[in-house]
Amino acid sequence: VACPITSCIDLFISEYIEGSSNNKCIEIYNPTCSTITLTGVYTLRVYANGSSTPTTINLTGSIAPDDVFVVCNPSAGAAFLALADQTSGSVSFNGDDAVALAKSAVNIDIIGQISCDPGTQWVSGAHSTLDKTLIRNSNVSTGISTNPTGPCSTTSFTSLTTEWAVFSIDNLADLGMHTATCPSCCPTFSNAPSNVAITNSTCGTGCT
């Protein structure tokens, strides 16, 4: 059985909360079958108002397999902070700010379009990055590592409708957990193969 080699192999952003006041949180999901250390390796980056230079948040700790790590603004409401693994005042994005997860200073997942200020939000139908909670669809298995290349506009966050479900402002129903169909581990087998050749052995009566 072939194991997945291009997906389910690294962290990605599983939830984005652009809530009222300082209710801002980013949730990161570990789709692998190994605990991943964040300290010294992974960062969150906030690209405010179309900037190409981010404010960087150094992540600390680790994420267990099939678990999440939540980073919130320290002035978020008590219900949000109760679910946070880390806080940072730099988690202060609005609907027009790109957010990225980086590994060793290389972006491995991007929300929005870096170096683009769409006005107040990216939008597609009922999907919006302003005053919304976005949750990654369960069939997503890897992050968006390539910044959208189209012209900067309100619709240049091209994966908004294909990869995200949209919920109301300050939605807490799913923060702190994520459901994914990602095949995180290669299968293991307990049965021995049936075609083993035995040599230099005497077979007893009834043995084949």
Side-chain angles (χ1 to χ4, degrees):
V1 176
C3 300
I5 59 173
T6 60
S7 63
C8 304
I9 59 174
D10 212 337
L11 307 179
F12 59 84
I13 297 172
S14 51
E15 187 162 348
Y16 159 102
I17 296 180
E18 203 290 287
S20 57
S21 186
N22 290 307
N23 292 340
K24 321 283 186 181
C25 296
I26 294 291
E27 178 189 271
I28 301 163
Y29 175 65
N30 178 3
T32 78
C33 54
S34 300
T35 296
I36 292 182
T37 299
L38 298 169
T39 307
V41 182
Y42 292 88
T43 59
L44 278 176
R45 294 170 158 183
V46 179
Y47 297 83
N49 302 318
S51 175
S52 60
T53 303
T55 299
T56 298
I57 303 162
N58 295 316
L59 301 178
T60 60
S62 61
I63 310 181
D66 194 31
D67 201 1
V68 298
F69 189 91
V70 178
V71 186
C72 294
N73 187 291
S75 297
F80 293 88
L81 295 179
L83 298 170
D85 298 289
Q86 183 176 335
T87 61
S88 171
S90 296
V91 182
S92 58
F93 51 85
N94 294 311
D96 61 345
D97 302 322
V99 179
L101 172 66
K103 178 182 181 180
S104 301
V106 176
N107 290 335
I108 60 173
D109 200 9
I110 301 169
I111 293 177
Q113 184 183 26
I114 297 169
S115 301
C116 170
D117 186 345
T120 59
Q121 62 188 315
W122 282 282
V123 63
S124 180
H127 286 57
S128 167
T129 52
L130 177 67
D131 296 338
K132 297 292 185 183
T133 296
L134 301 177
I135 298 177
R136 212 70 176 258
N137 294 336
S138 62
N139 63 343
V140 173
S141 60
T142 190
I144 300 292
S145 58
T146 302
N147 193 42
T149 57
C152 175
S153 70
T154 58
T155 60
S156 58
F157 178 15
T158 53
S159 62
L160 179 57
T161 54
T162 58
E163 293 201 358
W164 298 88
V166 62
F167 297 88
S168 61
I169 192 171
D170 294 335
N171 184 293
L172 273 170
D174 294 284
L175 188 64
M177 60 181 179
H178 184 64
T179 300
T181 56
C182 200
S184 58
C185 302
C186 294
T188 57
F189 301 95
S190 58
N191 295 330
S194 59
N195 60 343
V196 174
I198 300 176
T199 59
N200 299 323
S201 177
T202 301
C203 186
T205 302
C207 172
T208 57

